[in-house]
């Protein structure tokens, strides 16, 4: 792959890391103001975001040309 494409992948990975950081800051702040009954849902959202970002980063680091992949993840 071209260097330019890898640069795009690196930028997307960086932005995914920023999103995780922003979410963690938001999560910490909002959790202080929400009743305890919301904590399980907040934890689930955090786990799902972490899983999605991990999958994204893994796919960026290990790209494939399988054209059918995108349909299975929608």
């Amino acid at each position: 792959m071209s260097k330019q494409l890898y640069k795009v992948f690196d930028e997307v990975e960086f932005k995914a890391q920023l999103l995780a950081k922003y979410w963690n800051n938001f999560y910490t702040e909002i959790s202080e103001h929400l009743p305890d009954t919301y904590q399980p849902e907040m934890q689930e959202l955090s786990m799902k975001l972490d899983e999605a970002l991990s999958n994204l980063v893994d796919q960026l680091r290990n790209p494939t040309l399988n054209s059918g992949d995108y349909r299975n993840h929608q």
Side-chain angles (χ1 to χ4, degrees):
M1 274 192 256
S2 72
K3 287 183 180 183
Q4 188 174 10
L5 187 56
Y6 279 115
K7 183 179 178 184
V8 170
F9 286 1
D10 287 343
E11 289 174 6
V12 171
E13 183 175 343
F14 176 74
K15 294 203 179 196
Q17 292 169 348
L18 278 179
L19 176 59
K21 179 182 174 182
Y22 293 149
W23 169 257
N24 287 331
N25 291 341
F26 172 76
Y27 177 88
T28 301
E29 178 69 26
I30 198 74
S31 291
E32 295 174 5
H33 303 287
L34 291 175
D36 289 341
T37 55
Y38 285 90
Q39 296 308 317
E41 186 174 353
M42 292 295 291
Q43 290 171 351
E44 182 180 357
L45 287 171
S46 289
M47 288 182 350
K48 286 182 177 183
L49 177 61
D50 185 51
E51 182 180 325
L53 292 176
S54 292
N55 286 337
L56 173 63
V57 169
D58 183 55
Q59 289 179 18
L60 290 171
R61 290 180 180 172
N62 304 293
T64 63
L65 297 177
N66 186 347
S67 62
D69 278 353
Y70 76 93
R71 290 185 213 127
N72 296 328
H73 298 291
Q74 291 181 342

